[in-house]
Amino acid sequence: MTAQYLVKPKDVEKTLHMIWENLKKQSKLRASLFNLIIYSKSTHRVDYLRNVTQKVIEKFPCRIIFISDLGGSEKFLKTAVSVISPKEASQVACDSIDIAIGGDEYELTSLFILPHLLPDLPIYLLWADDPKVENLLFDNLKKLVNKIIFDSEIVENMVLFTEKISQFKGLEVADLNWARTENWRHLLTNYFNSEEKIKSLSLCKKITITYNAKASEFFCHTKIKALYLQAWLASCMQWRLQNMTIKEKRIHFFYEYKDKKIEVELFSILSDAYITGEITSLTLETSFNELFSFSTDVKNPKQIKIEQSAPQSCELPHFAMLEKNFFDSSLVKEIFYHKTSVHFLQSIQLLLKSKLEIC
Amino acid sequence: MINPLIEIGRPITSPKPCILVIFGVTGDLSERKILPSLYTLGNEGMLPANFACVGFARREKSDHQFRQDVEESIKRKEKYIDLTFWNSFQEDFFYHRSNFDEDEGYIALRKKLNELDSKIGSNGNRVFYFATPPKYFPIIVEKLATHNLLQGSALQSRGWKRVIIEKPFGLDFKSALDLQAHLLKFLKEEQIYRIDHYLGKETVQNLLFFRFGNSIFESIWNYKHIDHVQITVAEDLGVGTRGHLFEESGTLRDMLQNHLMQLLSLVAMEPPTTLHPDEIHQEKIKVLQSIRDLNSFPINDISVRGQYGKGYINGEEVISYREEKDISKNSNVESYVALKLFIDNWRWSGVPFYLRTGRRLPKRATEISIIFKDPPGYLFPKEMKEEANVLSLNIQPDEGISLKINCKVPGQNLLLQPVKMDFKYHSYFGQTPPDAYVRLIYDAILGDNTLFARQEEVLLSWKILDPLLEHWRKTDPIFPNYAAGSFGPKAADDLLQKEGRRWRYI
């Protein structure tokens, strides 16, 4: 990465040009596949978001416009530019424009960004703030962008979050936490891939999802992944939510499907061995007393042991691999899927009905 | 059955558990391509957890020694090896010593694979990779079948079995037909995966996306707008250590019959109705069926063969083909071929396709160039003849697409200058496209044969080129006829120049 140059807003492109003139000697290639605008109001998550950004450009280079909203009453807009590389030895590098704003300087920011968007390339917005909070900058940016990615980790009220998401008509949206459940969704989709297994799934009477509730520096809403996963299963299988209870840190969802009752239990553990919010196991019991168990191994959390048993028979356990974690592919894939995930919207609708608070 | 968990528009691919058996695992292809590709697939999490690789070869070796060899292969290819991953992944590699014709070897292999099945849960799924010289293909497939490794015994009747075969697939039409008939005694067509690694290249896959994902090109992709098409596959290397293999095949069999004919099919095909493999293969076959019989022409009018003499590559003197290791001093095997073809259909009527491929050319490059017809030249003075627009698809190296257009030179004069509009993969996607073998091995494990050659494509290609081989058998060439480091024989230049055209400098 080059040094960051603090510059006047009017000198942003000129300074970038100067940096690139110097980089030509190092045979660096200026690359950009899309524009990525990141907005962060929470200072303590800036490092995390910068890490997310770095992981994105490691996969695909893009022009980054990083807006840090420092709040306060004093109005200001300050800019800095740099060029960042996906990796140290990479020949390719990307423009990075940092904007620090204060005093809700949103109107100015909305206009300032416009000439710095690379034409003819998609524009994605990673909005790392609670969408329930009215924000002029958001209202202006949403008119420009192809897709908005939210970070439900930052929200205080999941119910309001899901309500807000479901109100975005005509906007393509995603949630980082939803992207994080992709590997488990794929695992279950690949496993329940025959008529027989889908039937077993539809005859399910109880599902238990265990997740790691140990909070970390950047993640405190540890149950979101588990919530999404059970909502996804329920919405795909068209289970109707009847009731939800929270008892001794266990969350129970009660569904109904064709006069059959299905209970989903979310159970938390506290572990340093797993990533915060990581799903550590999922068991599924059917009304014919078949049992499907998917469990991780703390020594190798990517490897899932799958066991299936029934009163009259059981299969030898076998293993499946969880796809590489969120940072490596899910977010980038979510970006490249231009349309909002239908499954995501269905899951959101279900969570909205549950009116579950996550804090 | 519709799986309610699958989201339309967001496909999921997931390879099933399997064991990959590589015949000829100690050979050059395995070391350079197959084993490093397996590492990449494993490290990317694209292999199933229940996976094992068994290397089958004649040399004595233990599992441990084999794993060390695999590690060396990976280190030669990758700048950085993830040792944490490798230390666990290497446990999935096993070695099996046997000759290819040894019955006891196959009996022991079956036992080993059954044991692995029980241990890792691979459910009897097998991919057999024939990374050997083609002469061993018949015996290996026969032995596999004899020892119930293909169809499965009563004890092991479950699981799919696939065979990956490297090119060349036969040495001419008849031998290809014989090989095909032999394979079909033991396998069904859908079990056979004929590798043409060019089809696994991102840039080649991009051909379909480029042509059919952009509306602007399709309307000009025909005889009304295109003057001719050039397809070049150039190598700067000589035959190296593959002399003994090359002497059996020559460039036509090594490169033209497979890589160039596949590229031609993709450039010339009609839009498929879907991206289903069957639809794509069908359109490619139609192109091959439409190629005019080479017997319609005097062969020398439409083809040139060559063999390199001494010369210079990158400023260093190099020896001639006949002086290379394992090459006969009187060899008449060609290291260069140029060919003109016509596709007789509505889209390509009258448009010549010029194909050339050779070794010891000035640089390594694979390029498809669409040369458009000149504009009606009445607007600018004759002295300022516009250059034809050229759309170039650079397959390798420097993967990308460029369009040559004419622009006005800034200033008072009315001067035209050709310029290039460029798209480089590297600039936009910021990463080197994955090796073709990574994609192809993954697809074979997945059971997707889109990027593999079907029997009709292979046989048709041979049928088209057989007149050339027949003619060459009857005539003695005067070799060598081009210097290493040049663009090939003068006769190849004449092939185009007599029609007022010239080869592009690649």
Side-chain angles (χ1 to χ4, degrees), chain A residues 170-219:
Chain A
L171 273 182
E172 308 301 339
V173 293
D175 177 15
L176 289 183
N177 272 320
W178 168 259
R180 289 189 187 101
T181 62
E182 188 187 63
N183 51 10
W184 271 92
R185 284 186 276 120
H186 283 186
L187 174 77
L188 295 173
T189 305
N190 284 325
Y191 182 78
F192 291 102
N193 63 355
S194 66
E195 212 163 312
E196 194 189 327
K197 287 203 175 116
I198 293 289
K199 193 177 170 195
S200 296
L201 189 56
S202 67
L203 292 171
C204 149
K205 67 179 184 188
K206 178 152 187 199
I207 298 177
T208 306
I209 300 175
T210 309
Y211 64 95
N212 183 22
K214 180 127 190 183
S216 65
E217 187 186 356
F218 299 124
F219 297 94

Side-chain angles (χ1 to χ4, degrees), chain A residues 21-38:
Chain A
E21 284 297 303
N22 288 330
L23 286 174
K24 268 184 198 168
K25 296 168 198 164
Q26 298 170 36
S27 302
K28 286 277 191 200
L29 287 169
R30 192 175 197 177
S32 183
L33 210 48
F34 49 86
N35 299 281
L36 180 62
I37 307 171
I38 301 123

Side-chain angles (χ1 to χ4, degrees), chain A residues 39 41 68-76 101-106:
Chain A
Y39 172 84
K41 192 149 187 175
S68 304
D69 188 346
L70 303 176
S73 55
E74 187 195 340
K75 282 185 181 291
F76 65 87
I101 61 175
D104 293 354
E105 191 61 282
Y106 298 141

Side-chain angles (χ1 to χ4, degrees), chain A residues 31 33 59-61 91-92 186 189-190 192-195 198 232 236 318-319 321 324 334 337 339 341-343, chain B residues 1 3-7 9-14 16 43-45 47-50 426-431:
Chain A
L33 210 48
K59 279 287 180 192
F60 296 108
Q91 254 198 307
V92 160
H186 283 186
T189 305
N190 284 325
F192 291 102
N193 63 355
S194 66
E195 212 163 312
I198 293 289
W232 169 73
C236 286
H318 66 276
F319 296 89
M321 296 296 282
K324 276 205 155 183
E334 196 55 53
Y337 284 124
K339 297 286 177 196
S341 162
V342 170
H343 284 196
Chain B
M1 180 217 68
N3 185 337
L5 301 180
I6 292 177
E7 185 168 356
R10 297 200 175 202
I12 295 175
T13 55
S14 178
K16 297 281 186 291
N43 197 29
E44 292 286 314
L47 287 176
N50 331 55
H426 209 194
S427 298
Y428 274 75
F429 294 103
Q431 50 189 335

Side-chain angles (χ1 to χ4, degrees), chain B residues 51-109:
Chain B
F51 172 82
C53 172
V54 175
F56 185 121
R58 292 173 286 192
R59 293 176 212 179
E60 280 291 345
K61 219 181 275 268
S62 65
D63 286 345
H64 176 71
Q65 283 167 326
F66 176 53
R67 289 164 189 171
Q68 282 183 324
D69 291 344
V70 176
E71 188 174 335
E72 288 305 311
S73 305
I74 298 164
K75 280 178 178 166
R76 273 191 281 271
K77 181 103 177 164
E78 302 286 329
K79 285 179 199 162
Y80 165 74
I81 181 170
D82 182 343
L83 285 173
T84 312
F85 164 71
W86 172 244
N87 287 339
S88 128
F89 186 49
Q90 65 174 313
E91 302 294 320
D92 296 339
F93 286 79
F94 304 89
Y95 187 78
H96 183 76
R97 195 226 74 82
S98 174
N99 289 323
F100 297 135
D101 57 356
E102 205 180 286
D103 285 303
E104 294 76 20
Y106 289 86
I107 293 168
L109 177 69

Side-chain angles (χ1 to χ4, degrees), chain B residues 374-390:
Chain B
D374 290 337
Y378 58 85
L379 199 59
F380 300 102
K382 278 183 195 159
E383 296 75 25
M384 255 175 31
K385 187 181 182 316
E386 314 88 349
E387 293 224 0
N389 300 130
V390 180

Side-chain angles (χ1 to χ4, degrees), chain B residues 19 21 54 56 96 103-118 126 128 143-156 161:
Chain B
I19 301 174
V21 181
V54 175
F56 185 121
H96 183 76
D103 285 303
E104 294 76 20
Y106 289 86
I107 293 168
L109 177 69
R110 193 177 74 217
K111 183 166 177 268
K112 179 176 257 168
L113 296 181
N114 287 345
E115 282 167 2
L116 275 174
D117 263 346
S118 305
R126 309 269 183 268
F128 297 103
K143 291 293 180 190
L144 285 173
T146 306
H147 295 283
N148 290 322
L149 281 155
L150 284 181
Q151 302 88 327
S153 64
L155 289 170
Q156 191 199 303
K161 315 285 185 277

